[in-house]
Amino acid sequence: VPQGTSISFGETTVLPDGDSVLAITRPRDQGVALVSTSDDGGHTWTPLALSNYPMADSKPYVLRLSTGQRCLVSNWPSRNTLLIAVSEPGETLLSHVHRIRHGRSPSARGSGHFGSSQWSYPYAYEHDGRIYVVYSITKEDCGLSIIPLEALEGP
């Protein structure tokens, strides 16, 4: 972990590409994703480093689409906005960001610290020209957003 930073939870998502692997880790209070890379299939890793990609303190999820695009689902600026960011086909840098959910989720039915309003803990899967994004709603329910691949083209 970079000096002066910390992580509260090590929630990490990885994107393999042959022997190269990219890891994106949940930040704590840095406001940007933490990243690490491996060039030997995950046996050794570079130290976690601050990226320039804005991310809330929440679990991310990364995948590669059949179009050759990299795709990252994460929260920013808080868990009240769930985003999907994609690269151009074959590129590594994320260049387009789209909102999946925005605004407060339904209020929690239970009480306590962990029952705050949020769209979080995403998982995504591509099938038949669509991306299926599953996420927690206020840590009590599960949501599903279905996004056609063509909706992720360009700004």
Side-chain angles (χ1 to χ4, degrees):
V1 176
Q3 188 169 353
T5 64
S6 63
I7 56 174
S8 53
F9 299 94
E11 296 166 340
T12 301
T13 182
V14 296
L15 184 65
D17 186 10
D19 282 340
S20 297
V21 186
L22 168 68
I24 302 171
T25 300
R26 170 184 173 167
R28 183 169 184 181
D29 296 320
Q30 295 86 359
V32 295
L34 298 169
V35 296
S36 179
T37 57
S38 172
D39 291 323
D40 58 10
H43 293 283
T44 61
W45 293 88
T46 62
L48 275 175
L50 298 171
S51 73
N52 66 351
Y53 186 80
M55 186 183 297
D57 183 1
S58 187
K59 176 196 167 298
Y61 188 79
V62 67
L63 71 155
R64 184 178 330 282
L65 303 175
S66 62
T67 58
Q69 294 169 284
R70 288 183 177 202
C71 175
L72 176 64
V73 183
S74 62
N75 294 99
W76 176 256
S78 69
R79 291 184 181 192
N80 288 324
T81 303
L82 185 63
L83 303 173
I84 186 167
V86 294
S87 69
E88 290 292 331
E91 297 293 322
T92 58
L93 297 177
L94 301 172
S95 55
H96 311 298
V97 181
H98 307 271
R99 281 189 288 198
I100 298 173
R101 296 299 303 252
H102 178 67
R104 294 182 60 83
S105 67
S107 296
R109 294 182 296 277
S111 62
H113 172 72
F114 296 104
S116 61
S117 180
Q118 60 188 278
W119 318 100
S120 56
Y121 299 96
Y123 176 82
Y125 183 78
E126 179 190 349
H127 176 72
D128 200 25
R130 294 177 179 86
I131 301 171
Y132 295 80
V133 181
V134 178
Y135 44 90
S136 167
I137 302 172
T138 314
K139 293 187 179 179
E140 294 179 334
D141 295 306
C142 188
L144 171 66
S145 294
I146 303 171
I147 305 165
L149 281 177
E150 60 266 13
L152 300 178
E153 295 173 0

